[in-house]
Amino acid sequence: MRNIVISLGGSILIPTLAGNRIRSYVPVLKAIAEHHRLFVVVGGGGAARDYIEAARELGVDEGTSDEIGILVTRLNATLLIAALGDAAYPKVAESHSEAKKFAESSKIVVMGGITPGQTTDAVAAVLAERVRASVFINATSVNGIYDKDPKKHPGAKRFETLTPQQLLEIVSQIGLGAGSNNVLDIIAARIVERSHIPLVVLDGQVPENLSNAILRGTFTGTVVSEDNKSPLPV
Ligand code: UTP
């Protein structure tokens, strides 16, 4: 039984509240949790973006907009916990130490954001560091890290592997504002670089991609590790 941290992007889990895909992730997360100690960090999705946009239109500062985003991530986390039922620890972890404590229950631990100026990817990266995760999975809406945004540049090239240093160089070129939509935030990249925890960035829009990657080692994505070796299957 290994520790696994998944950053489950809000854009894939809850792109909109009405169009949320929580139901389809429940069996997959439960299946993974039968074999490993699982921590899931949930993003804000469309609702967070809507709230942040509304706050900006009201002239609200970025830090306060971030706090609003954090509340939405925790609301999303609450919904996922409720859907997971007995398989999840019944409360959203509001800090990394709380997440560690909740993990003693052997249930799936779910958390959202914790502090302004970052995204839930950074929360997940630090969590991976603190629980000495065997792998940190960033489940997002693209199937890996590209040299350019593949949604804007059809010729963008996907990296099969990157060293943590290369990852840091790539994400350093991207900005960070409340609600900004990047494949991985720079704080998460810095943590990955210092912690030596292998990171796998994959397309999490199909829930089974997660179980196939973690339990069977079958996936398309980018592996970030010092030795270019895939940590999957765990
Ligand atoms: P997300 O982690 O969902 O950010 O947090 P994101 O990258 O914009 O969204 P997805 O995952 O691709 O859909 C939503 C917002 O909440 C605030 C930030 O403003 C972030 O953009 N947030 C979140 C924080 O300020 N701190 C946190 O620890 C987490």
Side-chain angles (χ1 to χ4, degrees):
M1 177 146 304
R2 302 285 183 82
N3 287 345
I4 295 179
V5 174
I6 301 177
S7 178
L8 199 51
S11 53
I12 62 169
L13 187 70
I14 313 191
T16 63
L17 189 53
N20 84 78
R21 306 194 54 236
I22 290 179
R23 192 187 296 278
S24 60
Y25 286 89
V26 165
V28 166
L29 296 176
K30 283 184 178 172
I32 297 167
E34 276 174 24
H35 301 273
H36 300 292
R37 193 169 296 111
L38 184 58
F39 298 82
V40 182
V41 183
V42 175
R49 264 189 268 283
D50 290 347
Y51 269 95
I52 288 167
E53 205 180 296
R56 282 210 184 113
E57 275 169 21
L58 290 167
V60 170
D61 64 274
E62 288 292 301
T64 308
S65 303
D66 280 343
E67 293 283 6
I68 294 167
I70 291 169
L71 287 174
V72 179
T73 64
R74 288 180 176 168
L75 207 50
N76 291 344
T78 306
L79 203 53
L80 178 62
I81 287 174
L84 286 166
D86 280 347
Y89 189 84
K91 191 178 168 299
V92 176
E94 294 189 0
S95 67
H96 293 110
S97 37
E98 219 173 45
K100 283 186 78 165
K101 178 127 196 65
F102 293 174
E104 289 169 9
S105 69
S106 299
K107 305 236 178 199
I108 302 171
V109 174
V110 184
M111 64 188 298
I114 50 169
T115 187
Q118 59 175 35
T119 73
T120 46
D121 289 342
V123 176
V126 174
L127 185 59
E129 190 171 59
R130 290 196 59 175
V131 303
R132 298 180 194 279
S134 298
V135 62
F136 165 29
I137 307 259
N138 186 32
T140 182
S141 58
V142 285
N143 63 357
I145 297 173
Y146 284 73
D147 56 351
K148 302 183 206 74
D149 183 346
K151 289 176 182 162
K152 292 184 192 145
H153 305 272
K157 181 180 149 284
R158 183 171 57 82
F159 298 104
E160 290 286 333
T161 58
L162 286 172
T163 64
Q165 295 76 11
Q166 289 170 324
L167 171 76
L168 198 49
E169 273 168 39
I170 290 166
V171 302
S172 296
Q173 293 151 13
I174 305 167
L176 179 76
S180 66
N181 190 16
N182 306 319
V183 67
L184 192 82
D185 85 28
I186 189 162
I187 300 168
R190 283 210 192 100
I191 303 295
V192 166
E193 202 241 353
R194 78 175 186 188
S195 70
H196 308 293
I197 288 168
L199 163 71
V200 175
V201 179
L202 52 75
D203 181 356
Q205 291 177 108
V206 177
E208 288 71 26
N209 285 358
L210 288 170
S211 44
N212 284 333
I214 293 167
L215 303 176
R216 289 173 274 282
T218 314
F219 65 98
T220 303
T222 301
V223 170
V224 181
S225 66
E226 293 285 356
D227 59 5
N228 284 344
K229 282 200 191 124
S230 172
L232 300 175
V234 179

